[in-house]
mmCIF file with all atom_site columns, all heavy atoms in Angstrom:
data_model
loop_
_atom_site.group_PDB
_atom_site.id
_atom_site.type_symbol
_atom_site.label_atom_id
_atom_site.label_alt_id
_atom_site.label_comp_id
_atom_site.label_asym_id
_atom_site.label_entity_id
_atom_site.label_seq_id
_atom_site.pdbx_PDB_ins_code
_atom_site.Cartn_x
_atom_site.Cartn_y
_atom_site.Cartn_z
_atom_site.occupancy
_atom_site.B_iso_or_equiv
_atom_site.pdbx_formal_charge
_atom_site.auth_seq_id
_atom_site.auth_comp_id
_atom_site.auth_asym_id
_atom_site.auth_atom_id
_atom_site.pdbx_PDB_model_num
ATOM 1  N N   . GLU A 1 48  ? -16.150 -6.824  -32.876 1.00 44.00 ? 48  GLU A N   1
ATOM 2  C CA  . GLU A 1 48  ? -15.384 -6.358  -34.030 1.00 44.00 ? 48  GLU A CA  1
ATOM 3  C C   . GLU A 1 48  ? -15.427 -7.330  -35.176 1.00 44.00 ? 48  GLU A C   1
ATOM 4  O O   . GLU A 1 48  ? -15.417 -8.611  -34.925 1.00 44.00 ? 48  GLU A O   1
ATOM 5  C CB  . GLU A 1 48  ? -13.919 -6.186  -33.604 1.00 44.00 ? 48  GLU A CB  1
ATOM 6  C CG  . GLU A 1 48  ? -13.590 -5.007  -32.640 1.00 44.00 ? 48  GLU A CG  1
ATOM 7  C CD  . GLU A 1 48  ? -13.698 -3.710  -33.311 1.00 44.00 ? 48  GLU A CD  1
ATOM 8  O OE1 . GLU A 1 48  ? -13.814 -3.708  -34.584 1.00 44.00 ? 48  GLU A OE1 1
ATOM 9  O OE2 . GLU A 1 48  ? -13.708 -2.663  -32.659 1.00 44.00 ? 48  GLU A OE2 1
ATOM 10 N N   . GLU A 1 75  ? -33.024 13.313  -52.175 1.00 93.00 ? 75  GLU A N   1
ATOM 11 C CA  . GLU A 1 75  ? -34.138 12.718  -52.994 1.00 93.00 ? 75  GLU A CA  1
ATOM 12 C C   . GLU A 1 75  ? -34.302 11.270  -52.542 1.00 93.00 ? 75  GLU A C   1
ATOM 13 O O   . GLU A 1 75  ? -34.678 10.402  -53.390 1.00 93.00 ? 75  GLU A O   1
ATOM 14 C CB  . GLU A 1 75  ? -33.935 12.857  -54.404 1.00 93.00 ? 75  GLU A CB  1
ATOM 15 C CG  . GLU A 1 75  ? -33.769 14.305  -54.896 1.00 93.00 ? 75  GLU A CG  1
ATOM 16 C CD  . GLU A 1 75  ? -35.041 15.146  -54.668 1.00 93.00 ? 75  GLU A CD  1
ATOM 17 O OE1 . GLU A 1 75  ? -36.138 14.541  -54.694 1.00 93.00 ? 75  GLU A OE1 1
ATOM 18 O OE2 . GLU A 1 75  ? -34.927 16.381  -54.507 1.00 93.00 ? 75  GLU A OE2 1
ATOM 19 N N   . VAL A 1 189 ? -52.301 -18.228 -50.643 1.00 95.00 ? 189 VAL A N   1
ATOM 20 C CA  . VAL A 1 189 ? -53.211 -17.566 -51.597 1.00 95.00 ? 189 VAL A CA  1
ATOM 21 C C   . VAL A 1 189 ? -53.550 -18.626 -52.658 1.00 95.00 ? 189 VAL A C   1
ATOM 22 O O   . VAL A 1 189 ? -52.651 -19.224 -53.284 1.00 95.00 ? 189 VAL A O   1
ATOM 23 C CB  . VAL A 1 189 ? -52.510 -16.383 -52.273 1.00 95.00 ? 189 VAL A CB  1
ATOM 24 C CG1 . VAL A 1 189 ? -53.447 -15.715 -53.311 1.00 95.00 ? 189 VAL A CG1 1
ATOM 25 C CG2 . VAL A 1 189 ? -52.222 -15.389 -51.220 1.00 95.00 ? 189 VAL A CG2 1
ATOM 26 N N   . LYS A 1 251 ? -58.275 2.998   -50.464 1.00 96.00 ? 251 LYS A N   1
ATOM 27 C CA  . LYS A 1 251 ? -59.518 2.767   -51.124 1.00 96.00 ? 251 LYS A CA  1
ATOM 28 C C   . LYS A 1 251 ? -59.323 2.474   -52.633 1.00 96.00 ? 251 LYS A C   1
ATOM 29 O O   . LYS A 1 251 ? -59.927 1.655   -53.278 1.00 96.00 ? 251 LYS A O   1
ATOM 30 C CB  . LYS A 1 251 ? -60.479 3.824   -50.884 1.00 96.00 ? 251 LYS A CB  1
ATOM 31 C CG  . LYS A 1 251 ? -61.136 3.945   -49.493 1.00 96.00 ? 251 LYS A CG  1
ATOM 32 C CD  . LYS A 1 251 ? -62.047 5.093   -49.384 1.00 96.00 ? 251 LYS A CD  1
ATOM 33 C CE  . LYS A 1 251 ? -62.686 5.136   -48.039 1.00 96.00 ? 251 LYS A CE  1
ATOM 34 N NZ  . LYS A 1 251 ? -63.668 6.280   -47.856 1.00 96.00 ? 251 LYS A NZ  1
#
Side-chain angles (χ1 to χ4, degrees):
E48 291 285 353
E75 303 296 331
V189 179
K251 288 181 178 179

